[in-house]
Amino acid sequence: MTMSTSQKRYAVIGNPISHSRSPSIHQAFARQCGINLVYERILAPVDAFTTYAERFFEQGGLGLNVTVPFKEDAYHLARSNLSARAQLAAAVNTLWVDDGVIHGCNSDGMGLLSDLLRLGFNPEKSRVLMVGAGGAARGCLLPVLEAQCKELRVLNRTPERARLLVADLLAFRPEYRSRLSAGSLNDLDGVWDIVINATSASLSSQAPSLEGLQFSERSLAYDMVYGSEPTAFMTQSRALGAGCQADGLGMLVGQAAISFQIWHGVLPETDAVLDELRNVLKVS
Ligand code: ATR
């Protein structure tokens, strides 16, 4: 690749990384906003994230997206300069340097929120169910609460993990005590407006076992995983009566847009990029 000196350098770092769609998303945003940049993929050995990330910034890199398995390492790297979202998520997906110091944020939750709004599902006054209590769920709780949902319940196959997650958040933000709860996959009373699958079950074409889950025609079933076909969770939710199902492609584009805004000070428009990615997925 040839690089002119006027080009700003950005990258996504992970292992594996060859599948990452971040370069094409950020390059499309940059074209839209008239910004001249290069955006690379960096494959780092699993035990060498810090070395690779620090070298990228020492060599003039301006911003790094961080993906599996390094989001926790990135959190430690930026520990003195973390956004509130990153602190609560205990994970960082966006790094940049300011005054010679590495800063970190987590844009996953805002990416989810922007996609829910795009789909016409404002969490405000809604009953929201988060299924799963791993890193994916953790990164998204605060933005959903801040959107003034009526209730947010975190359910997990291993309920203790959901309880720990909720306790962590309440220690940080006790004002959400009356709206936030945790339980097992059976704690499903009533009809839910938005159900978010943050488990990794879809990666093995499974849906979490949610016996008694009730949707209405106005409910959304949202899977953070995406693919060329509807996920098992989306299919299950449709059979249970959810009026709308969506996968996590919009969240991917949404979190990239928030990272782009952090780095460049402008929030790009996401619809065209999302349509383009969806078409690529269909033919791949
Ligand atoms: P991530 O960082 O992607 O969230 P993780 O931390 O490994 O990954 O968490 C995976 C989540 O998916 C967990 O909530 C896990 O439930 P447990 O904590 O009980 O393991 C959940 N999960 C994975 N496979 C599942 C399945 N088949 N049914 C229900 N939950 C599942």
Side-chain angles (χ1 to χ4, degrees), residues 131-137 156-158 161 185 198-201 204 206-209:
V131 187
N156 198 41
R157 185 174 59 181
T158 312
R161 221 177 152 195
L185 297 182
T199 75
S200 48
S204 45
Q206 291 179 325
S209 166

Side-chain angles (χ1 to χ4, degrees), residues 217-236:
E217 265 183 25
R218 291 186 308 281
S219 304
L220 169 69
Y222 192 96
D223 201 332
M224 285 194 191
V225 168
Y226 63 85
S228 53
E229 302 291 330
T231 66
F233 171 73
M234 290 164 68
T235 306
Q236 170 185 276

Side-chain angles (χ1 to χ4, degrees), residues 1-271:
M1 186 189 319
T2 53
M3 216 183 293
S4 88
T5 48
S6 65
Q7 277 182 314
K8 302 168 169 187
R9 276 184 68 211
Y10 298 86
V12 58
I13 184 167
N15 187 335
I17 200 63
S18 59
H19 66 288
S20 173
R21 296 179 195 276
S22 292
S24 59
I25 297 173
H26 278 268
Q27 279 150 8
F29 288 159
R31 278 194 300 278
Q32 185 195 117
C33 299
I35 294 171
N36 190 12
L37 59 75
V38 285
Y39 190 111
E40 306 152 89
R41 292 186 181 90
I42 299 176
L43 175 68
V46 286
D47 57 355
F49 166 78
T50 302
T51 308
Y52 275 61
E54 286 181 339
R55 188 186 305 153
F56 175 79
F57 286 118
E58 279 160 20
Q59 292 176 347
L62 295 176
L64 263 185
N65 279 134
V66 182
T67 189
V68 178
F70 297 133
K71 290 185 185 183
E72 217 179 303
D73 294 326
Y75 165 81
H76 290 292
L77 180 63
R79 65 191 168 279
S80 315
N81 293 285
L82 293 167
S83 67
R85 298 185 201 298
Q87 278 176 35
L88 185 70
V92 158
N93 75 340
T94 308
L95 290 169
W96 68 100
V97 171
D98 209 0
D99 273 342
V101 180
I102 295 180
H103 290 247
C105 184
N106 190 316
S107 66
D108 287 331
M110 290 303 286
L112 170 69
L113 185 61
S114 70
D115 204 33
L116 296 179
L117 295 174
R118 180 188 67 85
L119 291 160
F121 287 84
N122 190 338
E124 191 181 354
K125 300 196 181 118
S126 296
R127 295 189 79 214
V128 182
L129 191 62
M130 182 74 73
V131 187
R138 181 182 281 268
C140 292
L141 298 183
L142 189 57
V144 173
L145 284 164
E146 285 175 342
Q148 305 303 326
C149 62
K150 185 162 133 196
E151 177 180 356
L152 174 58
R153 190 175 299 176
V154 184
L155 302 185
N156 198 41
R157 185 174 59 181
T158 312
E160 194 46 40
R161 221 177 152 195
R163 288 190 194 107
L164 279 174
L165 189 51
V166 163
D168 277 359
L169 195 145
L170 290 177
F172 188 70
R173 290 287 171 91
E175 67 268 30
Y176 290 122
R177 183 168 302 280
S178 62
R179 285 192 255 160
L180 182 62
S181 61
S184 73
L185 297 182
N186 298 324
D187 294 325
L188 282 165
D189 58 291
V191 175
W192 294 91
D193 302 307
I194 301 174
V195 179
I196 300 161
N197 181 23
T199 75
S200 48
S202 300
L203 297 176
S204 45
S205 302
Q206 291 179 325
S209 166
L210 295 163
E211 232 164 278
L213 178 60
Q214 289 179 57
F215 289 106
S216 81
E217 265 183 25
R218 291 186 308 281
S219 304
L220 169 69
Y222 192 96
D223 201 332
M224 285 194 191
V225 168
Y226 63 85
S228 53
E229 302 291 330
T231 66
F233 171 73
M234 290 164 68
T235 306
Q236 170 185 276
S237 302
R238 178 187 288 256
L240 290 172
C244 185
Q245 302 88 34
D247 72 8
L249 195 65
M251 177 177 167
L252 174 77
V253 177
Q255 63 77 30
I258 305 286
S259 292
F260 192 92
Q261 184 182 32
I262 290 171
W263 293 335
H264 306 289
V266 49
L267 185 65
E269 205 274 314
T270 54
D271 284 357

